[in-house]
Amino acid sequence: AQKITQTQPGMFVQEKEAVTLDCTYDTSDQSYGLFWYKQPSSGEMIFLIYQGSYDEQNATEGRYSLNFQKARKSANLVISASQLGDSAMYFCAMRLNRGSTLGRLYFGRGTQLTVWP
Amino acid sequence: DAGITQSPRHKVTETGTPVTLRCHQTENHRYMYWYRQDPGHGLRLIHYSYGVKDTDKGEVSDGYSVSRSKTEDFLLTLESATSSQTSVYFCAISESGQGDQPQHFGDGTRLSIL
């Protein structure tokens, strides 16, 4: 069975500091992708960053980077230079590149990030 | 922004009534998904579709049915709503079922069953 674990229900960070949100995953598949989504208080789901299981380099998108450690099955999201607008719920998700799963995402329970001034 | 419209955005109804939620996309994507979001559970997959008339069950499909008669529309029906189906429902679309193409989400429907 596939499983995503986010062990931090809530995180706090001061503005301009960096923060790491943890995500571990469990799968026996070799080919998969990992995604992070942001959900602000307004409720929409915003795609942030993607990492493929065969990607040798960690993904980066602006202030977001993904610390991918395949052997440990972890895919932590790093947000640099936090801003007040980063306060939101963050979800880690996995998709298997197996035809039978048809692209479905497996989600973690989320981490609520609060950025304070 | 991906062209995904969910309707209604909010609905309050009574136990035992049928409810249909609509997801409409303008992206011509093949894959469409319905998730529900509940506190402490993240998002859980209800049903998904990989083409017109091609649908399958997710992990929390009991009490729900879906239909996709056109590429652009994916309907989620609660045949007889129960209070346990009070939730926020998200529709998502994806161009591909593999690789780096993310799922894009609609803005959600907040459904309350009294």
Side-chain angles (χ1 to χ4, degrees):
Chain A
Q2 330 307 320
K3 187 176 181 181
I4 298 286
T5 302
Q6 295 180 254
T7 57
Q8 307 154 315
M11 287 285 285
F12 294 84
V13 66
Q14 190 170 23
E15 202 176 8
K16 300 187 178 68
E17 298 294 311
V19 63
T20 298
L21 306 183
D22 293 343
C23 172
T24 59
Y25 59 92
D26 188 18
T27 181
S28 57
D29 282 43
Q30 296 302 306
S31 180
Y32 51 87
L34 297 154
F35 300 80
W36 278 90
Y37 285 85
K38 172 184 178 181
Q39 185 179 43
S41 58
S42 50
E44 69 269 31
M45 294 286 288
I46 303 167
F47 164 68
L48 295 178
I49 195 167
Y50 164 85
Q51 178 84 42
S53 60
Y54 292 118
D55 293 342
E56 295 187 352
Q57 301 223 335
N58 287 339
T60 60
E61 288 287 348
R63 294 185 299 108
Y64 304 109
S65 61
L66 208 153
N67 183 0
F68 181 48
Q69 298 187 42
K70 192 171 181 178
R72 298 181 61 185
K73 293 190 174 178
S74 73
N76 299 338
L77 177 70
V78 180
I79 305 174
S80 63
S82 297
Q83 301 172 357
L84 296 178
D86 293 334
S87 293
M89 181 72 85
Y90 289 81
F91 290 99
C92 179
M94 176 174 67
R95 179 168 68 198
L96 305 181
N97 290 329
R98 188 203 303 173
S100 60
T101 62
L102 297 168
R104 64 155 297 174
L105 289 174
Y106 300 86
F107 280 88
R109 297 185 175 189
T111 295
Q112 180 69 48
L113 175 66
T114 302
V115 181
W116 50 285
Chain B
D1 289 346
I4 309 167
T5 304
Q6 290 186 232
S7 58
R9 293 293 317 280
H10 302 271
K11 188 173 181 67
V12 180
T13 191
E14 294 184 347
T15 301
T17 59
V19 177
T20 296
L21 308 183
R22 181 185 185 227
C23 178
H24 177 78
Q25 59 142 331
T26 59
E27 305 296 320
N28 201 35
H29 285 350
R30 179 182 175 189
Y31 298 89
M32 298 185 75
Y33 309 84
W34 277 108
Y35 294 90
R36 60 178 288 176
Q37 182 179 18
D38 304 290
H41 288 277
L43 278 77
R44 294 179 291 175
L45 182 67
I46 306 172
H47 281 280
Y48 54 105
S49 170
Y50 45 99
V52 173
K53 295 193 184 345
D54 292 323
T55 65
D56 207 346
K57 296 179 180 180
E59 60 189 294
V60 290
S61 60
D62 287 350
Y64 302 95
S65 62
V66 289
S67 66
R68 192 169 178 199
S69 58
K70 297 185 290 185
T71 298
E72 58 266 34
D73 289 325
F74 192 31
L75 304 181
L76 177 71
T77 297
L78 291 65
E79 300 289 349
S80 178
T82 67
S83 58
S84 65
Q85 294 175 310
T86 292
S87 187
V88 179
Y89 292 84
F90 285 97
C91 172
I93 66 173
S94 180
E95 189 171 10
S96 170
Q98 301 182 30
D100 62 354
Q101 295 298 312
Q103 288 185 15
H104 294 285
F105 287 77
D107 289 338
T109 293
R110 187 171 296 274
L111 179 62
S112 296
I113 315 292
L114 305 179

